[in-house]
Amino acid sequence: PTVWGGVHATIMPEDVLREDFVDYVIVNEGEITAQALTDAFQDGQDVAGIAGLAWKDDSGIHINPERPFIQNLDDFRPRWDLLPNVPAYFLQSGPYDRAIPVYISRGCPFRCGFCYNEVVMKRTWRQHSEEFVIEQIRWLADTYGVNAIDYADDYLFGRIKPMQRLVEHVGMPWSGQVRVQLLKPAPAVAGTVLDGPNAWVSSPRPPELLASSAFCDEEVAEVLTTINQGLQPVARPAHL
């Protein structure tokens, strides 16, 4: 059988299941649902009782009740050790050639019209513990020589002061997203660089701050003007 998951399949499970080559859709978070489906395959059990699963048979398409969100994200960890080629996931982040994307939270409380979060994560936000994040990053650095971290979360600064403390404890160059409305004249981490659709924050400390005007509406432009602490709008990229 072919099993799909992810944002598109979660938002449009019926459409995905209409494709001949898709048999099952895992709706939303898949850690528990995927294991339950695997167990059902092995034991020959009925899948109708598996929360968070959409499926089809000769009678049509079936959408099971949703599975509650995982409350303790620390219960599940990425198995980097099972990947045959971890360096294939490295990114070039400024001068750092061995940056790697890491997720430390899920969801976002805002309701931007262009974003999947309101439908998929239902405006919830959860974060791994600081100890979990530090252990994972240090293991990646020790095992694979990672030299920078790309925090790939949708809402990285859910808790500003704990996030500031976290990046200080990790002690590595980093990048991530932040809503410009959350920026202050004195950024959470001194010497940040802002560059990207919402605003990308990165370190270590360059001499000036930059903020991209890409995708910025008038409200965002006004926020950047109000901050006015060395932030200079960058011209909209030619491809936008």
Side-chain angles (χ1 to χ4, degrees), residues 2-5 9-10 12-18 22-28 33 37 41 47-48 50-57 60-67:
T2 302
V3 183
W4 270 35
T10 292
M12 308 178 70
E14 296 95 340
D15 286 358
V16 171
L17 284 169
R18 290 191 184 100
V22 180
D23 302 298
Y24 301 90
V25 166
I26 292 178
V27 177
N28 221 311
T33 305
L37 181 60
F41 288 158
V47 300
I50 300 177
L53 183 71
W55 51 286
K56 64 185 178 185
D57 59 14
I61 293 174
H62 310 275
I63 310 296
N64 294 352
E66 292 187 3
R67 183 177 296 278

PDB file of all heavy atoms in Angstrom, residues 2-5 9-10 12-18 22-28 33 37 41 47-48 50-57 60-67:
ATOM      1  N   THR A   2       0.295   2.341  -0.516  1.00  0.00           N
ATOM      2  CA  THR A   2       0.967   3.636  -0.549  1.00  0.00           C
ATOM      3  C   THR A   2       0.316   4.561   0.466  1.00  0.00           C
ATOM      4  O   THR A   2      -0.898   4.756   0.464  1.00  0.00           O
ATOM      5  CB  THR A   2       0.877   4.266  -1.948  1.00  0.00           C
ATOM      6  OG1 THR A   2       1.466   3.374  -2.901  1.00  0.00           O
ATOM      7  CG2 THR A   2       1.596   5.603  -1.982  1.00  0.00           C
ATOM      8  N   VAL A   3       1.143   5.134   1.345  1.00  0.00           N
ATOM      9  CA  VAL A   3       0.663   6.002   2.420  1.00  0.00           C
ATOM     10  C   VAL A   3       1.235   7.395   2.209  1.00  0.00           C
ATOM     11  O   VAL A   3       2.443   7.558   2.046  1.00  0.00           O
ATOM     12  CB  VAL A   3       1.089   5.460   3.799  1.00  0.00           C
ATOM     13  CG1 VAL A   3       0.521   6.340   4.911  1.00  0.00           C
ATOM     14  CG2 VAL A   3       0.647   4.012   3.973  1.00  0.00           C
ATOM     15  N   TRP A   4       0.365   8.386   2.231  1.00  0.00           N
ATOM     16  CA  TRP A   4       0.783   9.784   2.108  1.00  0.00           C
ATOM     17  C   TRP A   4       0.568  10.509   3.426  1.00  0.00           C
ATOM     18  O   TRP A   4      -0.279  10.142   4.242  1.00  0.00           O
ATOM     19  CB  TRP A   4      -0.038  10.486   1.015  1.00  0.00           C
ATOM     20  CG  TRP A   4       0.566  10.396  -0.351  1.00  0.00           C
ATOM     21  CD1 TRP A   4       1.268   9.349  -0.869  1.00  0.00           C
ATOM     22  CD2 TRP A   4       0.511  11.392  -1.376  1.00  0.00           C
ATOM     23  NE1 TRP A   4       1.654   9.612  -2.157  1.00  0.00           N
ATOM     24  CE2 TRP A   4       1.202  10.868  -2.498  1.00  0.00           C
ATOM     25  CE3 TRP A   4      -0.057  12.645  -1.478  1.00  0.00           C
ATOM     26  CZ2 TRP A   4       1.345  11.576  -3.687  1.00  0.00           C
ATOM     27  CZ3 TRP A   4       0.079  13.358  -2.667  1.00  0.00           C
ATOM     28  CH2 TRP A   4       0.775  12.827  -3.752  1.00  0.00           C
ATOM     29  N   GLY A   5       1.335  11.580   3.612  1.00  0.00           N
ATOM     30  CA  GLY A   5       1.148  12.452   4.759  1.00  0.00           C
ATOM     31  C   GLY A   5       1.663  13.836   4.425  1.00  0.00           C
ATOM     32  O   GLY A   5       2.024  14.117   3.288  1.00  0.00           O
ATOM     33  N   ALA A   9      -1.650  16.615   2.039  1.00  0.00           N
ATOM     34  CA  ALA A   9      -2.527  15.471   2.291  1.00  0.00           C
ATOM     35  C   ALA A   9      -3.439  15.714   3.485  1.00  0.00           C
ATOM     36  O   ALA A   9      -4.589  15.253   3.500  1.00  0.00           O
ATOM     37  CB  ALA A   9      -1.682  14.219   2.526  1.00  0.00           C
ATOM     38  N   THR A  10      -2.958  16.451   4.486  1.00  0.00           N
ATOM     39  CA  THR A  10      -3.779  16.754   5.657  1.00  0.00           C
ATOM     40  C   THR A  10      -4.919  17.698   5.304  1.00  0.00           C
ATOM     41  O   THR A  10      -6.055  17.527   5.768  1.00  0.00           O
ATOM     42  CB  THR A  10      -2.910  17.383   6.761  1.00  0.00           C
ATOM     43  OG1 THR A  10      -1.994  16.388   7.247  1.00  0.00           O
ATOM     44  CG2 THR A  10      -3.756  17.891   7.921  1.00  0.00           C
ATOM     45  N   MET A  12      -6.233  18.237   2.226  1.00  0.00           N
ATOM     46  CA  MET A  12      -7.096  17.716   1.160  1.00  0.00           C
ATOM     47  C   MET A  12      -7.021  16.188   1.085  1.00  0.00           C
ATOM     48  O   MET A  12      -6.640  15.623   0.055  1.00  0.00           O
ATOM     49  CB  MET A  12      -6.687  18.338  -0.169  1.00  0.00           C
ATOM     50  CG  MET A  12      -6.600  19.849  -0.147  1.00  0.00           C
ATOM     51  SD  MET A  12      -6.056  20.579  -1.711  1.00  0.00           S
ATOM     52  CE  MET A  12      -7.482  20.263  -2.739  1.00  0.00           C
ATOM     53  N   PRO A  13      -7.382  15.487   2.155  1.00  0.00           N
ATOM     54  CA  PRO A  13      -7.244  14.019   2.125  1.00  0.00           C
ATOM     55  C   PRO A  13      -8.138  13.346   1.087  1.00  0.00           C
ATOM     56  O   PRO A  13      -7.737  12.345   0.474  1.00  0.00           O
ATOM     57  CB  PRO A  13      -7.623  13.604   3.550  1.00  0.00           C
ATOM     58  CG  PRO A  13      -8.480  14.719   4.072  1.00  0.00           C
ATOM     59  CD  PRO A  13      -7.917  15.956   3.445  1.00  0.00           C
ATOM     60  N   GLU A  14      -9.353  13.877   0.895  1.00  0.00           N
ATOM     61  CA  GLU A  14     -10.245  13.250  -0.090  1.00  0.00           C
ATOM     62  C   GLU A  14      -9.659  13.337  -1.492  1.00  0.00           C
ATOM     63  O   GLU A  14      -9.678  12.355  -2.248  1.00  0.00           O
ATOM     64  CB  GLU A  14     -11.629  13.911  -0.062  1.00  0.00           C
ATOM     65  CG  GLU A  14     -12.364  13.726   1.250  1.00  0.00           C
ATOM     66  CD  GLU A  14     -12.154  14.897   2.188  1.00  0.00           C
ATOM     67  OE1 GLU A  14     -11.170  15.656   1.991  1.00  0.00           O
ATOM     68  OE2 GLU A  14     -12.967  15.062   3.107  1.00  0.00           O
ATOM     69  N   ASP A  15      -9.135  14.523  -1.845  1.00  0.00           N
ATOM     70  CA  ASP A  15      -8.558  14.685  -3.177  1.00  0.00           C
ATOM     71  C   ASP A  15      -7.366  13.758  -3.375  1.00  0.00           C
ATOM     72  O   ASP A  15      -7.179  13.171  -4.450  1.00  0.00           O
ATOM     73  CB  ASP A  15      -8.113  16.139  -3.379  1.00  0.00           C
ATOM     74  CG  ASP A  15      -9.281  17.080  -3.586  1.00  0.00           C
ATOM     75  OD1 ASP A  15     -10.429  16.597  -3.612  1.00  0.00           O
ATOM     76  OD2 ASP A  15      -9.059  18.295  -3.704  1.00  0.00           O
ATOM     77  N   VAL A  16      -6.534  13.642  -2.347  1.00  0.00           N
ATOM     78  CA  VAL A  16      -5.365  12.776  -2.452  1.00  0.00           C
ATOM     79  C   VAL A  16      -5.791  11.318  -2.628  1.00  0.00           C
ATOM     80  O   VAL A  16      -5.235  10.582  -3.451  1.00  0.00           O
ATOM     81  CB  VAL A  16      -4.472  12.934  -1.207  1.00  0.00           C
ATOM     82  CG1 VAL A  16      -3.362  11.884  -1.199  1.00  0.00           C
ATOM     83  CG2 VAL A  16      -3.869  14.338  -1.159  1.00  0.00           C
ATOM     84  N   LEU A  17      -6.813  10.893  -1.886  1.00  0.00           N
ATOM     85  CA  LEU A  17      -7.247   9.492  -1.960  1.00  0.00           C
ATOM     86  C   LEU A  17      -7.960   9.167  -3.273  1.00  0.00           C
ATOM     87  O   LEU A  17      -8.137   7.990  -3.609  1.00  0.00           O
ATOM     88  CB  LEU A  17      -8.160   9.173  -0.778  1.00  0.00           C
ATOM     89  CG  LEU A  17      -7.426   8.995   0.553  1.00  0.00           C
ATOM     90  CD1 LEU A  17      -8.420   8.956   1.710  1.00  0.00           C
ATOM     91  CD2 LEU A  17      -6.584   7.718   0.540  1.00  0.00           C
ATOM     92  N   ARG A  18      -8.376  10.193  -4.002  1.00  0.00           N
ATOM     93  CA  ARG A  18      -8.980   9.929  -5.316  1.00  0.00           C
ATOM     94  C   ARG A  18      -7.927   9.495  -6.339  1.00  0.00           C
ATOM     95  O   ARG A  18      -8.281   8.974  -7.406  1.00  0.00           O
ATOM     96  CB  ARG A  18      -9.729  11.163  -5.814  1.00  0.00           C
ATOM     97  CG  ARG A  18     -11.001  11.463  -5.018  1.00  0.00           C
ATOM     98  CD  ARG A  18     -11.851  12.521  -5.681  1.00  0.00           C
ATOM     99  NE  ARG A  18     -13.002  12.862  -4.857  1.00  0.00           N
ATOM    100  CZ  ARG A  18     -13.063  13.942  -4.074  1.00  0.00           C
ATOM    101  NH1 ARG A  18     -12.048  14.788  -4.051  1.00  0.00           N
ATOM    102  NH2 ARG A  18     -14.126  14.177  -3.336  1.00  0.00           N
ATOM    103  N   VAL A  22      -2.725   6.184  -4.316  1.00  0.00           N
ATOM    104  CA  VAL A  22      -2.696   6.467  -2.882  1.00  0.00           C
ATOM    105  C   VAL A  22      -3.755   5.623  -2.183  1.00  0.00           C
ATOM    106  O   VAL A  22      -4.924   5.643  -2.564  1.00  0.00           O
ATOM    107  CB  VAL A  22      -2.943   7.958  -2.590  1.00  0.00           C
ATOM    108  CG1 VAL A  22      -2.904   8.217  -1.087  1.00  0.00           C
ATOM    109  CG2 VAL A  22      -1.900   8.821  -3.295  1.00  0.00           C
ATOM    110  N   ASP A  23      -3.346   4.902  -1.147  1.00  0.00           N
ATOM    111  CA  ASP A  23      -4.269   4.032  -0.426  1.00  0.00           C
ATOM    112  C   ASP A  23      -4.671   4.591   0.936  1.00  0.00           C
ATOM    113  O   ASP A  23      -5.795   4.393   1.384  1.00  0.00           O
ATOM    114  CB  ASP A  23      -3.619   2.659  -0.221  1.00  0.00           C
ATOM    115  CG  ASP A  23      -3.216   2.017  -1.522  1.00  0.00           C
ATOM    116  OD1 ASP A  23      -4.104   1.753  -2.353  1.00  0.00           O
ATOM    117  OD2 ASP A  23      -2.002   1.795  -1.726  1.00  0.00           O
ATOM    118  N   TYR A  24      -3.738   5.274   1.596  1.00  0.00           N
ATOM    119  CA  TYR A  24      -3.991   5.807   2.937  1.00  0.00           C
ATOM    120  C   TYR A  24      -3.390   7.197   3.059  1.00  0.00           C
ATOM    121  O   TYR A  24      -2.378   7.503   2.420  1.00  0.00           O
ATOM    122  CB  TYR A  24      -3.365   4.909   4.013  1.00  0.00           C
ATOM    123  CG  TYR A  24      -3.870   3.488   4.009  1.00  0.00           C
ATOM    124  CD1 TYR A  24      -3.235   2.513   3.246  1.00  0.00           C
ATOM    125  CD2 TYR A  24      -4.973   3.124   4.782  1.00  0.00           C
ATOM    126  CE1 TYR A  24      -3.696   1.208   3.242  1.00  0.00           C
ATOM    127  CE2 TYR A  24      -5.444   1.812   4.777  1.00  0.00           C
ATOM    128  CZ  TYR A  24      -4.795   0.869   4.003  1.00  0.00           C
ATOM    129  OH  TYR A  24      -5.259  -0.425   3.989  1.00  0.00           O
ATOM    130  N   VAL A  25      -4.006   8.027   3.892  1.00  0.00           N
ATOM    131  CA  VAL A  25      -3.472   9.353   4.202  1.00  0.00           C
ATOM    132  C   VAL A  25      -3.386   9.489   5.722  1.00  0.00           C
ATOM    133  O   VAL A  25      -4.373   9.257   6.427  1.00  0.00           O
ATOM    134  CB  VAL A  25      -4.363  10.478   3.634  1.00  0.00           C
ATOM    135  CG1 VAL A  25      -3.985  11.829   4.244  1.00  0.00           C
ATOM    136  CG2 VAL A  25      -4.229  10.537   2.121  1.00  0.00           C
ATOM    137  N   ILE A  26      -2.221   9.838   6.197  1.00  0.00           N
ATOM    138  CA  ILE A  26      -2.049  10.164   7.612  1.00  0.00           C
ATOM    139  C   ILE A  26      -2.309  11.651   7.775  1.00  0.00           C
ATOM    140  O   ILE A  26      -1.606  12.481   7.192  1.00  0.00           O
ATOM    141  CB  ILE A  26      -0.649   9.791   8.106  1.00  0.00           C
ATOM    142  CG1 ILE A  26      -0.502   8.274   8.099  1.00  0.00           C
ATOM    143  CG2 ILE A  26      -0.387  10.359   9.494  1.00  0.00           C
ATOM    144  CD1 ILE A  26       0.858   7.781   8.531  1.00  0.00           C
ATOM    145  N   VAL A  27      -3.337  11.980   8.522  1.00  0.00           N
ATOM    146  CA  VAL A  27      -3.767  13.374   8.685  1.00  0.00           C
ATOM    147  C   VAL A  27      -3.060  13.981   9.890  1.00  0.00           C
ATOM    148  O   VAL A  27      -3.124  13.453  10.997  1.00  0.00           O
ATOM    149  CB  VAL A  27      -5.298  13.447   8.862  1.00  0.00           C
ATOM    150  CG1 VAL A  27      -5.748  14.876   9.097  1.00  0.00           C
ATOM    151  CG2 VAL A  27      -5.998  12.857   7.635  1.00  0.00           C
ATOM    152  N   ASN A  28      -2.379  15.082   9.631  1.00  0.00           N
ATOM    153  CA  ASN A  28      -1.669  15.826  10.671  1.00  0.00           C
ATOM    154  C   ASN A  28      -0.473  15.035  11.179  1.00  0.00           C
ATOM    155  O   ASN A  28       0.173  14.326  10.426  1.00  0.00           O
ATOM    156  CB  ASN A  28      -2.615  16.246  11.799  1.00  0.00           C
ATOM    157  CG  ASN A  28      -2.327  17.665  12.270  1.00  0.00           C
ATOM    158  OD1 ASN A  28      -1.190  18.014  12.538  1.00  0.00           O
ATOM    159  ND2 ASN A  28      -3.352  18.475  12.339  1.00  0.00           N
ATOM    160  N   THR A  33       0.087   7.748  14.582  1.00  0.00           N
ATOM    161  CA  THR A  33      -0.799   7.166  13.566  1.00  0.00           C
ATOM    162  C   THR A  33      -0.053   6.211  12.654  1.00  0.00           C
ATOM    163  O   THR A  33      -0.567   5.129  12.316  1.00  0.00           O
ATOM    164  CB  THR A  33      -1.461   8.284  12.746  1.00  0.00           C
ATOM    165  OG1 THR A  33      -2.137   9.188  13.619  1.00  0.00           O
ATOM    166  CG2 THR A  33      -2.446   7.713  11.749  1.00  0.00           C
ATOM    167  N   LEU A  37      -0.920   2.290  12.169  1.00  0.00           N
ATOM    168  CA  LEU A  37      -1.228   1.720  10.854  1.00  0.00           C
ATOM    169  C   LEU A  37      -0.303   0.548  10.545  1.00  0.00           C
ATOM    170  O   LEU A  37      -0.745  -0.490  10.024  1.00  0.00           O
ATOM    171  CB  LEU A  37      -1.101   2.801   9.780  1.00  0.00           C
ATOM    172  CG  LEU A  37      -1.406   2.378   8.344  1.00  0.00           C
ATOM    173  CD1 LEU A  37      -2.833   1.871   8.225  1.00  0.00           C
ATOM    174  CD2 LEU A  37      -1.171   3.554   7.383  1.00  0.00           C
ATOM    175  N   PHE A  41      -1.377  -3.351   9.795  1.00  0.00           N
ATOM    176  CA  PHE A  41      -0.939  -4.146   8.646  1.00  0.00           C
ATOM    177  C   PHE A  41      -0.369  -5.488   9.109  1.00  0.00           C
ATOM    178  O   PHE A  41      -0.696  -6.548   8.560  1.00  0.00           O
ATOM    179  CB  PHE A  41       0.134  -3.398   7.853  1.00  0.00           C
ATOM    180  CG  PHE A  41      -0.377  -2.214   7.075  1.00  0.00           C
ATOM    181  CD1 PHE A  41       0.487  -1.201   6.693  1.00  0.00           C
ATOM    182  CD2 PHE A  41      -1.708  -2.109   6.712  1.00  0.00           C
ATOM    183  CE1 PHE A  41       0.035  -0.114   5.970  1.00  0.00           C
ATOM    184  CE2 PHE A  41      -2.175  -1.031   5.980  1.00  0.00           C
ATOM    185  CZ  PHE A  41      -1.293  -0.022   5.605  1.00  0.00           C
ATOM    186  N   VAL A  47      -8.574  -0.906   9.967  1.00  0.00           N
ATOM    187  CA  VAL A  47      -8.003   0.433  10.148  1.00  0.00           C
ATOM    188  C   VAL A  47      -9.077   1.465  10.490  1.00  0.00           C
ATOM    189  O   VAL A  47      -8.754   2.633  10.710  1.00  0.00           O
ATOM    190  CB  VAL A  47      -7.244   0.887   8.881  1.00  0.00           C
ATOM    191  CG1 VAL A  47      -6.105  -0.078   8.572  1.00  0.00           C
ATOM    192  CG2 VAL A  47      -8.198   1.017   7.688  1.00  0.00           C
ATOM    193  N   ALA A  48     -10.321   1.069  10.541  1.00  0.00           N
ATOM    194  CA  ALA A  48     -11.407   2.026  10.767  1.00  0.00           C
ATOM    195  C   ALA A  48     -11.318   2.692  12.134  1.00  0.00           C
ATOM    196  O   ALA A  48     -11.847   3.788  12.325  1.00  0.00           O
ATOM    197  CB  ALA A  48     -12.766   1.329  10.619  1.00  0.00           C
ATOM    198  N   ILE A  50      -8.468   3.668  13.643  1.00  0.00           N
ATOM    199  CA  ILE A  50      -7.199   4.393  13.823  1.00  0.00           C
ATOM    200  C   ILE A  50      -7.441   5.890  13.680  1.00  0.00           C
ATOM    201  O   ILE A  50      -7.751   6.383  12.587  1.00  0.00           O
ATOM    202  CB  ILE A  50      -6.145   3.922  12.807  1.00  0.00           C
ATOM    203  CG1 ILE A  50      -5.865   2.434  12.982  1.00  0.00           C
ATOM    204  CG2 ILE A  50      -4.861   4.737  12.965  1.00  0.00           C
ATOM    205  CD1 ILE A  50      -4.882   1.876  11.980  1.00  0.00           C
ATOM    206  N   ALA A  51      -7.322   6.615  14.766  1.00  0.00           N
ATOM    207  CA  ALA A  51      -7.505   8.072  14.718  1.00  0.00           C
ATOM    208  C   ALA A  51      -6.406   8.715  13.878  1.00  0.00           C
ATOM    209  O   ALA A  51      -5.260   8.266  13.869  1.00  0.00           O
ATOM    210  CB  ALA A  51      -7.477   8.641  16.135  1.00  0.00           C
ATOM    211  N   GLY A  52      -6.794   9.762  13.139  1.00  0.00           N
ATOM    212  CA  GLY A  52      -5.828  10.473  12.320  1.00  0.00           C
ATOM    213  C   GLY A  52      -5.538   9.821  10.988  1.00  0.00           C
ATOM    214  O   GLY A  52      -4.551  10.159  10.329  1.00  0.00           O
ATOM    215  N   LEU A  53      -6.393   8.908  10.555  1.00  0.00           N
ATOM    216  CA  LEU A  53      -6.172   8.192   9.297  1.00  0.00           C
ATOM    217  C   LEU A  53      -7.335   8.412   8.343  1.00  0.00           C
ATOM    218  O   LEU A  53      -8.497   8.415   8.751  1.00  0.00           O
ATOM    219  CB  LEU A  53      -6.020   6.693   9.570  1.00  0.00           C
ATOM    220  CG  LEU A  53      -5.700   5.818   8.352  1.00  0.00           C
ATOM    221  CD1 LEU A  53      -4.270   6.075   7.882  1.00  0.00           C
ATOM    222  CD2 LEU A  53      -5.894   4.339   8.685  1.00  0.00           C
ATOM    223  N   ALA A  54      -7.019   8.606   7.078  1.00  0.00           N
ATOM    224  CA  ALA A  54      -8.014   8.606   6.002  1.00  0.00           C
ATOM    225  C   ALA A  54      -7.668   7.453   5.065  1.00  0.00           C
ATOM    226  O   ALA A  54      -6.490   7.182   4.826  1.00  0.00           O
ATOM    227  CB  ALA A  54      -8.011   9.936   5.264  1.00  0.00           C
ATOM    228  N   TRP A  55      -8.681   6.793   4.541  1.00  0.00           N
ATOM    229  CA  TRP A  55      -8.423   5.604   3.743  1.00  0.00           C
ATOM    230  C   TRP A  55      -9.597   5.354   2.799  1.00  0.00           C
ATOM    231  O   TRP A  55     -10.604   6.058   2.834  1.00  0.00           O
ATOM    232  CB  TRP A  55      -8.220   4.387   4.654  1.00  0.00           C
ATOM    233  CG  TRP A  55      -9.311   4.194   5.676  1.00  0.00           C
ATOM    234  CD1 TRP A  55      -9.514   4.944   6.813  1.00  0.00           C
ATOM    235  CD2 TRP A  55     -10.364   3.231   5.642  1.00  0.00           C
ATOM    236  NE1 TRP A  55     -10.626   4.492   7.492  1.00  0.00           N
ATOM    237  CE2 TRP A  55     -11.155   3.441   6.810  1.00  0.00           C
ATOM    238  CE3 TRP A  55     -10.703   2.201   4.777  1.00  0.00           C
ATOM    239  CZ2 TRP A  55     -12.273   2.659   7.097  1.00  0.00           C
ATOM    240  CZ3 TRP A  55     -11.811   1.410   5.058  1.00  0.00           C
ATOM    241  CH2 TRP A  55     -12.576   1.650   6.220  1.00  0.00           C
ATOM    242  N   LYS A  56      -9.429   4.378   1.939  1.00  0.00           N
ATOM    243  CA  LYS A  56     -10.497   4.066   0.988  1.00  0.00           C
ATOM    244  C   LYS A  56     -10.587   2.561   0.792  1.00  0.00           C
ATOM    245  O   LYS A  56      -9.624   1.819   0.996  1.00  0.00           O
ATOM    246  CB  LYS A  56     -10.237   4.757  -0.348  1.00  0.00           C
ATOM    247  CG  LYS A  56      -8.992   4.291  -1.083  1.00  0.00           C
ATOM    248  CD  LYS A  56      -8.754   5.121  -2.336  1.00  0.00           C
ATOM    249  CE  LYS A  56      -7.472   4.696  -3.054  1.00  0.00           C
ATOM    250  NZ  LYS A  56      -7.179   5.576  -4.209  1.00  0.00           N
ATOM    251  N   ASP A  57     -11.784   2.141   0.445  1.00  0.00           N
ATOM    252  CA  ASP A  57     -12.009   0.756   0.044  1.00  0.00           C
ATOM    253  C   ASP A  57     -13.041   0.761  -1.073  1.00  0.00           C
ATOM    254  O   ASP A  57     -13.334   1.830  -1.646  1.00  0.00           O
ATOM    255  CB  ASP A  57     -12.438  -0.108   1.241  1.00  0.00           C
ATOM    256  CG  ASP A  57     -13.714   0.404   1.911  1.00  0.00           C
ATOM    257  OD1 ASP A  57     -14.423   1.249   1.313  1.00  0.00           O
ATOM    258  OD2 ASP A  57     -14.008  -0.051   3.036  1.00  0.00           O
ATOM    259  N   GLY A  60     -15.847   3.387  -0.818  1.00  0.00           N
ATOM    260  CA  GLY A  60     -15.592   4.820  -0.913  1.00  0.00           C
ATOM    261  C   GLY A  60     -14.450   5.284  -0.026  1.00  0.00           C
ATOM    262  O   GLY A  60     -13.618   4.484   0.432  1.00  0.00           O
ATOM    263  N   ILE A  61     -14.419   6.600   0.213  1.00  0.00           N
ATOM    264  CA  ILE A  61     -13.365   7.238   1.010  1.00  0.00           C
ATOM    265  C   ILE A  61     -13.863   7.422   2.440  1.00  0.00           C
ATOM    266  O   ILE A  61     -15.009   7.822   2.659  1.00  0.00           O
ATOM    267  CB  ILE A  61     -12.968   8.589   0.389  1.00  0.00           C
ATOM    268  CG1 ILE A  61     -12.278   8.359  -0.964  1.00  0.00           C
ATOM    269  CG2 ILE A  61     -12.062   9.389   1.327  1.00  0.00           C
ATOM    270  CD1 ILE A  61     -11.979   9.640  -1.727  1.00  0.00           C
ATOM    271  N   HIS A  62     -12.996   7.155   3.384  1.00  0.00           N
ATOM    272  CA  HIS A  62     -13.360   7.241   4.800  1.00  0.00           C
ATOM    273  C   HIS A  62     -12.361   8.141   5.537  1.00  0.00           C
ATOM    274  O   HIS A  62     -11.144   7.971   5.372  1.00  0.00           O
ATOM    275  CB  HIS A  62     -13.373   5.862   5.441  1.00  0.00           C
ATOM    276  CG  HIS A  62     -14.164   4.847   4.668  1.00  0.00           C
ATOM    277  ND1 HIS A  62     -15.530   4.696   4.816  1.00  0.00           N
ATOM    278  CD2 HIS A  62     -13.782   3.962   3.701  1.00  0.00           C
ATOM    279  CE1 HIS A  62     -15.954   3.746   3.997  1.00  0.00           C
ATOM    280  NE2 HIS A  62     -14.911   3.283   3.310  1.00  0.00           N
ATOM    281  N   ILE A  63     -12.859   9.074   6.316  1.00  0.00           N
ATOM    282  CA  ILE A  63     -12.014   9.967   7.110  1.00  0.00           C
ATOM    283  C   ILE A  63     -12.269   9.660   8.583  1.00  0.00           C
ATOM    284  O   ILE A  63     -13.341   9.969   9.117  1.00  0.00           O
ATOM    285  CB  ILE A  63     -12.314  11.457   6.825  1.00  0.00           C
ATOM    286  CG1 ILE A  63     -12.312  11.736   5.317  1.00  0.00           C
ATOM    287  CG2 ILE A  63     -11.304  12.339   7.554  1.00  0.00           C
ATOM    288  CD1 ILE A  63     -10.981  11.525   4.646  1.00  0.00           C
ATOM    289  N   ASN A  64     -11.318   9.054   9.251  1.00  0.00           N
ATOM    290  CA  ASN A  64     -11.471   8.731  10.663  1.00  0.00           C
ATOM    291  C   ASN A  64     -11.382   9.995  11.520  1.00  0.00           C
ATOM    292  O   ASN A  64     -10.880  11.027  11.064  1.00  0.00           O
ATOM    293  CB  ASN A  64     -10.388   7.744  11.104  1.00  0.00           C
ATOM    294  CG  ASN A  64     -10.539   6.387  10.447  1.00  0.00           C
ATOM    295  OD1 ASN A  64     -11.532   6.119   9.773  1.00  0.00           O
ATOM    296  ND2 ASN A  64      -9.553   5.528  10.649  1.00  0.00           N
ATOM    297  N   PRO A  65     -11.852   9.954  12.769  1.00  0.00           N
ATOM    298  CA  PRO A  65     -11.711  11.111  13.665  1.00  0.00           C
ATOM    299  C   PRO A  65     -10.255  11.527  13.814  1.00  0.00           C
ATOM    300  O   PRO A  65      -9.343  10.697  13.710  1.00  0.00           O
ATOM    301  CB  PRO A  65     -12.286  10.592  14.990  1.00  0.00           C
ATOM    302  CG  PRO A  65     -13.236   9.514  14.589  1.00  0.00           C
ATOM    303  CD  PRO A  65     -12.619   8.854  13.389  1.00  0.00           C
ATOM    304  N   GLU A  66     -10.037  12.812  14.061  1.00  0.00           N
ATOM    305  CA  GLU A  66      -8.682  13.320  14.193  1.00  0.00           C
ATOM    306  C   GLU A  66      -8.022  12.792  15.462  1.00  0.00           C
ATOM    307  O   GLU A  66      -8.691  12.506  16.453  1.00  0.00           O
ATOM    308  CB  GLU A  66      -8.683  14.854  14.226  1.00  0.00           C
ATOM    309  CG  GLU A  66      -9.092  15.487  12.916  1.00  0.00           C
ATOM    310  CD  GLU A  66      -8.920  17.001  12.941  1.00  0.00           C
ATOM    311  OE1 GLU A  66      -8.424  17.528  13.970  1.00  0.00           O
ATOM    312  OE2 GLU A  66      -9.291  17.646  11.961  1.00  0.00           O
ATOM    313  N   ARG A  67      -6.713  12.689  15.410  1.00  0.00           N
ATOM    314  CA  ARG A  67      -5.948  12.304  16.592  1.00  0.00           C
ATOM    315  C   ARG A  67      -5.537  13.565  17.343  1.00  0.00           C
ATOM    316  O   ARG A  67      -5.114  14.555  16.722  1.00  0.00           O
ATOM    317  CB  ARG A  67      -4.694  11.515  16.186  1.00  0.00           C
ATOM    318  CG  ARG A  67      -3.871  11.020  17.373  1.00  0.00           C
ATOM    319  CD  ARG A  67      -2.694  10.194  16.892  1.00  0.00           C
ATOM    320  NE  ARG A  67      -3.128   8.977  16.216  1.00  0.00           N
ATOM    321  CZ  ARG A  67      -3.480   7.865  16.835  1.00  0.00           C
ATOM    322  NH1 ARG A  67      -3.469   7.808  18.164  1.00  0.00           N
ATOM    323  NH2 ARG A  67      -3.850   6.800  16.144  1.00  0.00           N
TER     324      ARG A  67
END
